[in-house]
Coordinates of all heavy atoms in Angstrom, one line a residue:
Y215 N 108.0 86.1 110.5 CA 106.6 86.4 110.8 C 106.5 86.9 112.3 O 105.3 87.1 112.8 CB 105.7 85.1 110.7 CG 106.0 84.4 109.4 CD1 106.9 83.3 109.3 CD2 105.4 84.9 108.2 CE1 107.1 82.7 108.0 CE2 105.7 84.3 106.9 CZ 106.5 83.2 106.9 OH 106.8 82.6 105.7
A216 N 107.6 87.1 112.9 CA 107.6 87.5 114.4 C 106.7 88.7 114.6 O 107.0 89.8 114.0 CB 109.0 87.7 114.9
G217 N 105.7 88.6 115.5 CA 104.9 89.8 115.8 C 103.9 90.2 114.8 O 103.2 91.2 115.0
V218 N 103.9 89.6 113.7 CA 102.9 90.0 112.6 C 101.6 89.3 112.9 O 101.5 88.1 113.0 CB 103.4 89.5 111.2 CG1 102.4 89.9 110.2 CG2 104.8 90.1 110.9
R219 N 100.6 90.2 113.1 CA 99.3 89.7 113.4 C 98.7 89.1 112.1 O 98.5 89.8 111.1 CB 98.4 90.8 113.9 CG 97.0 90.2 114.3 CD 96.1 91.3 114.8 NE 96.5 91.9 116.0 CZ 95.8 92.9 116.6 NH1 94.7 93.3 116.1 NH2 96.2 93.4 117.8
E220 N 98.4 87.8 112.1 CA 97.7 87.2 111.0 C 98.3 87.4 109.6 O 97.7 88.1 108.8 CB 96.2 87.6 111.0 CG 95.4 87.2 112.2 CD 93.9 87.4 112.0 OE1 93.5 88.6 112.1 OE2 93.2 86.5 111.6
P221 N 99.5 86.8 109.5 CA 100.0 86.7 108.1 C 98.9 86.0 107.2 O 98.1 85.2 107.8 CB 101.3 85.9 108.2 CG 101.6 85.9 109.6 CD 100.4 86.1 110.4
L222 N 99.0 86.1 105.9 CA 98.0 85.3 105.1 C 98.3 83.8 105.3 O 99.5 83.4 105.6 CB 98.2 85.7 103.6 CG 97.9 87.1 103.2 CD1 98.1 87.2 101.7 CD2 96.4 87.4 103.5
T223 N 97.3 83.0 105.1 CA 97.5 81.6 105.2 C 97.4 81.1 103.7 O 96.9 81.8 102.8 CB 96.4 80.9 106.0 OG1 95.1 81.2 105.3 CG2 96.3 81.5 107.4
A224 N 97.8 79.8 103.6 CA 97.7 79.2 102.3 C 96.2 79.1 101.8 O 95.9 79.3 100.6 CB 98.2 77.7 102.3
E225 N 95.3 79.0 102.8 CA 93.9 78.9 102.5 C 93.4 80.3 101.9 O 92.5 80.4 101.1 CB 93.0 78.5 103.7 CG 93.2 77.1 104.1 CD 94.6 76.8 104.7 OE1 95.2 77.7 105.3 OE2 95.0 75.6 104.6
D226 N 93.9 81.4 102.5 CA 93.6 82.7 102.0 C 93.9 82.8 100.5 O 93.1 83.4 99.7 CB 94.3 83.8 102.8 CG 93.9 83.9 104.2 OD1 92.7 83.7 104.5 OD2 94.8 84.3 105.1
V227 N 95.1 82.3 100.1 CA 95.5 82.5 98.8 C 94.7 81.5 97.9 O 94.3 81.9 96.7 CB 97.0 82.3 98.6 CG1 97.5 82.5 97.1 CG2 97.8 83.2 99.5
A228 N 94.4 80.3 98.4 CA 93.6 79.4 97.6 C 92.2 80.0 97.4 O 91.6 79.7 96.3 CB 93.5 78.1 98.4
D229 N 91.8 80.8 98.3 CA 90.5 81.4 98.1 C 90.5 82.4 96.9 O 89.6 82.5 96.1 CB 90.2 82.2 99.4 CG 88.8 82.8 99.5 OD1 87.8 82.1 99.0 OD2 88.7 84.0 99.9
C230 N 91.7 83.1 96.8 CA 91.9 84.0 95.7 C 91.9 83.2 94.4 O 91.3 83.7 93.3 CB 93.2 84.8 95.8 SG 93.2 85.9 97.2
V231 N 92.6 82.1 94.4 CA 92.7 81.3 93.2 C 91.3 80.9 92.7 O 90.9 81.0 91.6 CB 93.5 80.0 93.4 CG1 93.4 79.0 92.2 CG2 95.0 80.4 93.7
A232 N 90.5 80.3 93.7 CA 89.2 79.9 93.4 C 88.3 81.0 92.9 O 87.5 80.9 91.9 CB 88.5 79.2 94.6
W233 N 88.4 82.2 93.5 CA 87.6 83.3 93.1 C 87.9 83.7 91.6 O 87.1 83.9 90.8 CB 87.8 84.5 94.0 CG 87.0 85.7 93.7 CD1 85.6 85.8 93.9 CD2 87.4 86.9 93.0 NE1 85.2 87.0 93.4 CE2 86.3 87.7 92.9 CE3 88.6 87.3 92.5 CZ2 86.3 88.9 92.2 CZ3 88.7 88.6 91.9 CH2 87.5 89.4 91.7
T234 N 89.2 83.8 91.3 CA 89.6 84.3 90.0 C 89.2 83.3 88.9 O 88.7 83.6 87.9 CB 91.1 84.5 89.8 OG1 91.8 83.4 90.2 CG2 91.6 85.7 90.7
L235 N 89.3 82.0 89.3 CA 89.0 80.9 88.3 C 87.5 80.8 88.0 O 87.0 80.3 87.0 CB 89.5 79.6 88.7 CG 91.0 79.4 88.7 CD1 91.4 78.0 89.1 CD2 91.6 79.7 87.3
T236 N 86.7 81.2 89.0 CA 85.2 81.0 88.9 C 84.5 82.3 88.5 O 83.2 82.3 88.6 CB 84.7 80.5 90.3 OG1 85.0 81.4 91.3 CG2 85.2 79.1 90.5
R237 N 85.2 83.4 88.1 CA 84.5 84.5 87.6 C 84.0 84.0 86.2 O 84.5 83.1 85.6 CB 85.4 85.7 87.3 CG 86.0 86.4 88.6 CD 85.0 86.7 89.6 NE 84.8 85.5 90.5 CZ 83.7 85.2 91.1 NH1 82.6 86.0 91.0 NH2 83.5 84.2 91.9
P238 N 82.9 84.7 85.7 CA 82.5 84.4 84.3 C 83.7 84.5 83.4 O 84.5 85.4 83.6 CB 81.4 85.5 84.1 CG 81.0 85.9 85.4 CD 82.1 85.8 86.3
H239 N 83.7 83.7 82.4 CA 85.0 83.5 81.7 C 85.4 84.8 80.9 O 86.6 84.9 80.5 CB 85.0 82.3 80.8 CG 86.4 81.8 80.5 ND1 87.0 82.0 79.2 CD2 87.3 81.2 81.2 CE1 88.2 81.5 79.3 NE2 88.4 81.0 80.4
H240 N 84.5 85.7 80.7 CA 84.9 86.9 80.0 C 85.6 87.9 80.9 O 86.1 88.9 80.5 CB 83.7 87.6 79.3 CG 82.7 88.2 80.3 ND1 81.8 87.4 80.9 CD2 82.5 89.5 80.7 CE1 81.1 88.2 81.8 NE2 81.5 89.4 81.6
V241 N 85.6 87.6 82.2 CA 86.2 88.4 83.2 C 87.6 87.9 83.5 O 87.8 86.8 84.1 CB 85.4 88.5 84.5 CG1 86.0 89.3 85.6 CG2 84.0 88.9 84.2
N242 N 88.6 88.6 83.1 CA 90.0 88.2 83.3 C 90.6 89.1 84.4 O 90.8 90.3 84.2 CB 90.8 88.4 82.0 CG 92.2 87.7 82.1 OD1 92.6 87.1 81.1 ND2 92.9 87.7 83.2
V243 N 90.8 88.5 85.6 CA 91.5 89.2 86.6 C 93.0 89.1 86.2 O 93.7 88.1 86.4 CB 91.3 88.5 88.0 CG1 92.1 89.3 89.1 CG2 89.8 88.5 88.3
D244 N 93.5 90.2 85.7 CA 94.9 90.2 85.2 C 95.9 90.0 86.3 O 96.8 89.2 86.2 CB 95.3 91.6 84.6 CG 94.7 91.8 83.2 OD1 93.8 91.0 82.8 OD2 95.0 92.8 82.6
L245 N 95.7 90.8 87.4 CA 96.7 90.8 88.5 C 95.9 91.0 89.8 O 95.2 92.0 90.0 CB 97.7 91.9 88.3 CG 98.6 92.1 89.5 CD1 99.5 90.9 89.8 CD2 99.5 93.4 89.2
L246 N 96.1 90.1 90.7 CA 95.5 90.2 92.1 C 96.7 90.3 93.1 O 97.4 89.3 93.3 CB 94.6 89.1 92.3 CG 93.6 89.2 93.5 CD1 92.4 88.2 93.4 CD2 94.3 89.0 94.8
V247 N 96.9 91.4 93.7 CA 97.9 91.6 94.7 C 97.2 91.4 96.1 O 96.2 92.1 96.3 CB 98.6 92.9 94.6 CG1 99.6 93.1 95.7 CG2 99.3 93.2 93.3
V248 N 97.7 90.5 96.9 CA 97.1 90.3 98.1 C 98.1 90.2 99.3 O 99.1 89.5 99.2 CB 96.2 89.0 98.1 CG1 97.0 87.8 97.6 CG2 95.5 88.7 99.4
R249 N 97.9 91.0 100.3 CA 98.8 91.0 101.5 C 98.0 90.9 102.7 O 96.8 91.3 102.7 CB 99.5 92.4 101.5 CG 100.4 92.7 100.4 CD 101.0 94.1 100.6 NE 101.8 94.6 99.5 CZ 103.1 94.4 99.3 NH1 103.7 93.6 100.1 NH2 103.7 94.8 98.3
P250 N 98.6 90.6 103.8 CA 97.9 90.7 105.1 C 97.7 92.1 105.5 O 98.4 93.0 105.1 CB 98.8 90.0 106.1 CG 100.2 90.0 105.5 CD 100.0 90.1 104.0
L251 N 96.7 92.4 106.3 CA 96.4 93.8 106.8 C 97.7 94.4 107.4 O 97.9 95.6 107.3 CB 95.2 93.7 107.7 CG 94.8 95.0 108.3 CD1 94.3 96.0 107.3 CD2 93.6 94.8 109.3
A252 N 98.4 93.5 108.1 CA 99.6 94.0 108.8 C 100.8 94.4 107.9 O 101.8 94.9 108.4 CB 100.1 93.0 109.8
Q253 N 100.6 94.2 106.6 CA 101.7 94.5 105.7 C 101.2 95.5 104.6 O 100.7 95.2 103.6 CB 102.2 93.2 104.9 CG 103.4 93.4 104.1 CD 103.8 92.2 103.2 OE1 103.0 91.4 102.8 NE2 105.1 92.0 103.0
A254 N 101.4 96.8 105.0 CA 100.9 97.9 104.1 C 101.7 97.9 102.8 O 101.2 98.4 101.8 CB 100.9 99.2 104.8
A255 N 102.9 97.5 102.8 CA 103.9 97.5 101.7 C 105.0 96.6 102.0 O 105.1 96.1 103.2 CB 104.4 98.9 101.4
Q256 N 105.8 96.2 101.0 CA 106.8 95.2 101.2 C 107.7 95.5 102.5 O 108.0 94.6 103.3 CB 107.8 95.1 100.0 CG 108.5 93.8 99.9 CD 107.6 92.7 99.5 OE1 106.5 92.9 99.0 NE2 108.1 91.5 99.5
H257 N 108.1 96.8 102.7 CA 108.9 97.2 103.8 C 108.1 97.7 105.0 O 108.7 98.2 106.0 CB 109.9 98.2 103.4 CG 111.0 97.7 102.5 ND1 110.9 97.5 101.2 CD2 112.3 97.4 102.9 CE1 112.0 97.1 100.7 NE2 112.9 97.0 101.7
K258 N 106.8 97.7 104.9 CA 106.0 98.4 105.9 C 105.1 97.3 106.6 O 104.0 97.1 106.3 CB 105.1 99.4 105.3 CG 104.2 100.2 106.2 CD 105.0 101.4 106.9 CE 104.0 102.2 107.8 NZ 104.8 103.1 108.6
V259 N 105.8 96.6 107.5 CA 105.1 95.5 108.2 C 104.9 95.9 109.7 O 105.9 96.2 110.4 CB 105.9 94.2 108.1 CG1 105.3 93.0 108.8 CG2 106.2 93.8 106.6
V260 N 103.7 95.8 110.2 CA 103.5 96.1 111.6 C 103.8 94.9 112.4 O 103.3 93.8 112.2 CB 102.0 96.5 111.8 CG1 101.7 96.8 113.3 CG2 101.7 97.7 110.9
R261 N 104.7 95.1 113.4 CA 105.1 93.9 114.3 C 104.7 94.3 115.7 O 105.2 95.4 116.2 CB 106.6 93.6 114.2 CG 107.0 93.0 112.8 CD 108.4 92.6 112.7 NE 108.8 92.3 111.3 CZ 108.7 91.2 110.7 NH1 108.2 90.1 111.4 NH2 109.0 91.0 109.5

Side-chain angles (χ1 to χ4, degrees):
Y215 312 99
V218 179
R219 183 186 292 185
E220 293 188 285
L222 296 180
T223 64
E225 290 72 27
D226 292 326
V227 182
D229 187 43
C230 295
V231 173
W233 182 77
T234 57
L235 291 182
T236 55
R237 294 314 82 209
H239 202 256
H240 68 283
V241 179
N242 193 140
V243 179
D244 284 10
L245 170 64
L246 195 163
V247 178
V248 56
R249 298 178 186 274
L251 180 59
Q253 187 184 31
Q256 202 75 10
H257 286 81
K258 182 84 176 170
V259 179
V260 178
R261 293 185 192 269

